[in-house]
Amino acid sequence: MPASVITPPGPSLHDGVREACDRVVQLLLLNLQKLVYNRGAATLADPPPPRAVPFLDALRPHVRELCVETLRLERKRFLWQHQLLALLAVYAAPHCAADALFFLLALARTQDELALAAQLYAVLSSCLVDLLPATVNACVCQIHAGRLPEPQIAQLFRNLAAVV
């Protein structure tokens, strides 16, 4: 298993340290979730623009990298990354949500990896409208733009066929 935040090189961490780190990350994700879902105004008359979340704004250009890291399925880390990806997709909807699903569909090589795309869709479709057409459009745009090599296009089509 590669070294990571959870399993550094050298002597193994005490279980208490690992549990404390897990708790801190969960609390950070919970706070981020509150920031994402409580951004709107309380009134409908001239609502102010939603509050910015600088951390998520900084992550916007890194959706592909976050998807790649999530697909590594590394211990608990991929669960945190998947949750972070969902929060980023909701925060930067609609384009970020469609892009995240596109990347997961294009990069997934196993059924376990592909399941992450289905899980993300399930989470996002409850709060975002027209997500499926937007995702299909993102896939078509990427193919027409020539941004994918042929083997990756074939993988994308296999994955789309598998989820349909």
Side-chain angles (χ1 to χ4, degrees):
M1 173 176 282
S4 73
V5 174
I6 305 305
T7 56
S12 64
L13 290 175
H14 185 273
D15 285 339
V17 172
R18 185 170 289 136
E19 289 170 15
C21 289
D22 179 47
R23 178 99 171 121
V24 167
V25 170
Q26 288 298 333
L27 289 171
L28 289 170
L29 286 169
L30 178 62
N31 188 48
L32 196 56
Q33 181 177 335
K34 289 176 183 177
L35 291 172
V36 168
Y37 287 103
N38 293 328
R39 292 177 60 217
T43 66
L44 295 175
D46 294 329
R51 283 183 297 173
V53 180
F55 176 70
L56 292 176
D57 286 330
L59 273 180
R60 278 183 181 188
H62 303 285
V63 173
R64 184 184 190 286
E65 293 92 337
L66 186 55
C67 289
V68 168
E69 286 298 313
T70 302
L71 289 171
R72 289 177 58 197
L73 299 175
E74 190 176 302
R75 290 188 76 159
K76 288 184 181 181
R77 194 171 168 198
F78 85 94
L79 297 171
W80 302 329
Q81 291 165 332
H82 193 264
Q83 188 176 353
L84 181 59
L85 190 59
L87 292 171
L88 179 60
V90 169
Y91 176 77
H95 300 293
C96 187
D99 288 345
L101 285 168
F102 159 73
F103 286 124
L104 289 177
L105 288 167
L107 298 170
R109 299 211 179 278
T110 67
Q111 289 298 321
D112 288 342
E113 292 175 356
L114 189 55
L116 292 176
Q119 291 167 10
L120 184 63
Y121 178 78
V123 169
L124 298 179
S125 64
S126 67
C127 59
L128 300 175
V129 296
D130 297 328
L131 182 57
L132 185 57
T135 301
V136 170
N137 186 49
C139 293
V140 170
C141 287
Q142 292 285 344
I143 292 168
H144 282 289
R147 293 188 184 116
L148 296 175
E150 284 194 31
Q152 201 169 19
I153 292 172
Q155 184 68 45
L156 173 63
F157 285 139
R158 280 192 298 272
N159 288 341
L160 286 170
V163 296
V164 172

